[in-house]
Amino acid sequence: MSNRRWWRRSVMVVAVSVAAAMVWSAVALGAARKRIVWQVHWSDFQIEGIYKDKELVAKGLRQYVQEYQKSHPDVEIELQSVPMEEYLNKLLVAQATGTGPDIISVLNTWGPQLVQDGVLDPVPADLVKDVKANYIPVAVQGATVDGEIWGIPFEVGNYALVYNKKHLAEAGFGAPPKVWSELVDMGAKLTKRSKDKTIERYGFAFLAGWESAVVHPYLGLLWSCGGEFLAPDFKKAMFNSPQGVQALEAELDLFRKGATDVSGSVWEFPQGRVSTMIMASWYESTLVQSFGKEYEATVGVAPVPELCGKSINAAYSWWLGVNASSRVRKEAWDFIRWFAAQPLKNGTTLMGTYQATNIGSIPPRKGDLNGHPAQLNDLYTRVFVQELAHARHEPNVLQGAEIKSVLWHEIVEAWHGRKTSQQALGDAARKIDGILKELY
């Protein structure tokens, strides 16, 4: 064998050996690491973090996951970002093909179907005990389906009255309205019209465009007057009652007195075209960015004005669950326990810090509510946190989104004047009773 042939053969042997070693290492590493897939409804900075002058000022999910993987080298976590409006359908399709994620972010209205379909793994006993002891009641209600807790709450949302301080001052009002009749009168006086009677500035605008936007504020008024949305056994609708009509009539008063019309939009508040609105807790960052230096001088927040002597606001929530079909259920729960239920020295959790500093939402764990005063006790969020004491969670009912959609469209019919309050609520109740009859 010539020296050249010997050298080529030696190189080939070494190359094959190195390649084999690399393949073996990859196989061995893959076999050793447990892969967890978490399907999230967040994206962009919510995953990658918030940077200022190229410096990370608020961690995204990616940084938390990397931190966990560093201390748990046997675990690999993949984040799959899915838009919220596509989340449930994609989850159910993936589940049907055996490719569902291991960790699931659950909007409370999805919970009953996921439980009924056997998608969710029962929550470990220590975490159930932790949720009951350390979370605010309205969040515990949100994670409860058929009397059992099915996930770890990480976000709760509710509503308050957001108003333009400058508009109120220009009109001679020194404070926001405390009762609904004041809101109606104030809204009418704050409204400005052009010569052709077109509204140039709305005294009040309704949140609209999807089912919860319209139904949640209505439910708050309904509950304030002592009415009920659905029967406790979910066999029939109950909002077509005198209290339900009273609540919808209160909304219609804003139209009758000229405080608003069906073209009014809360999204025009940042342009100064809306003076008051009932808004959710997640709108703060938009207002801060829109008003800039004038934010604190312009934006005010107060409880929703009382109707029937009370102010109850509707709440909704998100929670983390684990897929019952996952092969890494234990590892998934261990990660959730580390991220969302393990208190730090100051009583907060990593999930609570993520919600308060990155997402800008309200974390429902008591330690987190007390541990982030800079974010949760500011001009905007403070009132929402305070009003959680008067919040009532929407019911976790099968086909909850469909049921709310029916009521949403009928309420809008009344806003347009195409139906009376009684007709709209009666029609909605008949349709919803038909849905409930098939489910309960």
Side-chain angles (χ1 to χ4, degrees):
M1 183 182 298
S2 68
N3 287 340
R4 180 173 296 178
R5 289 180 62 192
W6 177 86
W7 182 82
R8 285 180 177 172
R9 185 173 182 179
S10 297
V11 170
M12 288 180 64
V13 169
V14 171
V16 170
S17 299
V18 170
M22 291 176 65
V23 171
W24 183 86
S25 298
V27 171
L29 185 62
R33 300 186 78 181
K34 300 290 182 63
R35 182 169 172 269
I36 299 172
V37 176
W38 181 5
Q39 185 171 299
V40 301
H41 62 292
W42 298 303
S43 61
D44 302 328
F45 70 90
Q46 297 163 327
I47 290 180
E48 304 302 337
I50 299 174
Y51 290 81
K52 187 175 183 180
D53 298 329
K54 298 183 179 180
E55 184 175 338
L56 182 66
V57 294
K59 291 181 182 176
L61 272 189
R62 184 84 64 204
Q63 287 79 38
Y64 288 107
V65 164
Q66 289 171 345
E67 185 178 337
Y68 186 78
Q69 290 178 157
K70 189 174 181 180
S71 60
H72 297 75
D74 58 329
V75 173
E76 176 187 2
I77 300 176
E78 177 185 339
L79 299 172
Q80 291 184 350
S81 177
V82 178
M84 192 186 82
E85 59 272 21
E86 301 173 14
Y87 193 104
L88 182 60
N89 286 338
K90 284 203 170 185
L91 169 63
L92 295 177
V93 170
Q95 196 69 11
T97 59
T99 58
D102 302 294
I103 297 178
I104 304 170
S105 300
V106 183
L107 180 61
N108 67 273
T109 52
W110 306 340
Q113 182 180 355
L114 297 180
V115 171
Q116 185 184 60
D117 293 347
V119 174
L120 296 176
D121 191 48
V123 180
D126 66 307
L127 288 175
V128 171
K129 185 178 179 181
D130 181 72
V131 170
K132 290 180 178 177
N134 294 309
Y135 288 77
I136 59 175
V138 71
V140 178
Q141 294 167 17
T144 300
V145 178
D146 296 334
E148 293 186 33
I149 291 172
W150 284 93
I152 312 304
F154 64 81
E155 178 183 343
V156 62
N158 61 337
Y159 297 83
L161 182 77
V162 178
Y163 61 95
N164 187 309
K165 293 176 182 174
K166 294 180 178 178
H167 290 183
L168 267 63
E170 289 170 5
F173 297 109
K178 292 184 178 179
V179 297
W180 195 265
S181 59
E182 281 185 78
L183 173 67
V184 174
D185 293 340
M186 190 179 289
K189 292 173 182 174
L190 288 166
T191 298
K192 289 187 175 180
R193 297 176 184 272
S194 62
K195 291 181 179 179
D196 64 359
K197 303 301 181 184
T198 302
I199 295 180
E200 293 181 331
R201 188 180 81 186
Y202 287 85
F204 180 89
F206 280 101
L207 186 62
W210 68 98
E211 75 278 4
S212 294
V214 173
V215 171
H216 282 167
Y218 170 75
L219 288 183
L221 298 176
L222 171 70
W223 288 332
S224 296
C225 289
E228 290 295 336
F229 180 28
L230 304 172
D233 58 5
F234 296 148
K235 289 185 178 297
K236 67 175 184 178
M238 296 187 70
F239 54 79
N240 56 330
S241 60
Q243 295 86 354
V245 172
Q246 186 175 7
L248 186 49
E249 284 292 310
E251 292 192 352
L252 296 183
D253 277 345
L254 288 160
F255 292 90
R256 297 187 186 108
K257 299 292 177 62
T260 192
D261 64 25
V262 292
S263 298
S265 170
V266 296
W267 312 124
E268 293 187 309
F269 187 95
Q271 288 79 46
R273 294 199 66 233
V274 173
S275 298
T276 65
M277 59 182 179
I278 294 175
M279 179 47 77
S281 47
W282 41 256
Y283 200 47
E284 180 180 22
S285 59
T286 299
L287 296 176
V288 171
Q289 292 177 14
S290 299
F291 288 105
K293 294 180 180 178
E294 291 298 308
Y295 168 70
E296 291 192 4
T298 307
V299 177
V301 184
V304 174
E306 293 181 357
L307 183 66
C308 304
K310 293 181 182 177
S311 177
I312 297 175
N313 56 99
Y316 61 93
S317 58
W318 286 85
W319 30 281
L320 290 178
V322 169
N323 196 326
S325 301
S326 169
R327 295 180 179 178
V328 289
R329 294 195 301 279
K330 178 184 179 301
E331 289 77 10
W333 282 121
D334 285 345
F335 170 73
I336 291 175
R337 191 176 283 108
W338 173 84
F339 190 46
Q342 181 174 294
L344 305 175
K345 288 183 180 179
N346 64 355
T348 64
T349 64
L350 296 174
M351 174 59 105
T353 302
Y354 172 64
Q355 292 295 321
T357 62
N358 182 305
I359 302 296
S361 63
I362 300 175
R365 191 179 176 94
K366 296 172 186 174
D368 288 312
L369 283 170
N370 296 324
H372 299 286
Q375 290 81 22
L376 303 180
N377 196 32
D378 63 12
L379 181 157
Y380 189 87
T381 312
R382 178 176 63 248
V383 175
F384 289 91
V385 173
Q386 291 171 347
E387 287 305 293
L388 286 174
H390 309 293
R392 178 173 170 178
H393 202 283
E394 64 177 344
N396 285 335
V397 57
L398 284 165
Q399 300 299 321
E402 181 184 2
I403 288 170
K404 285 193 296 183
S405 290
V406 171
L407 182 54
W408 159 34
H409 290 297
E410 292 296 339
I411 288 175
V412 172
E413 286 293 293
W415 286 358
H416 280 265
R418 294 192 285 258
K419 292 184 179 180
T420 66
S421 298
Q422 292 89 342
Q423 289 171 333
L425 296 178
D427 290 347
R430 278 190 290 277
K431 295 173 186 174
I432 291 172
D433 284 350
I435 297 171
L436 294 173
K437 190 176 180 180
E438 297 179 0
L439 302 172
Y440 293 92

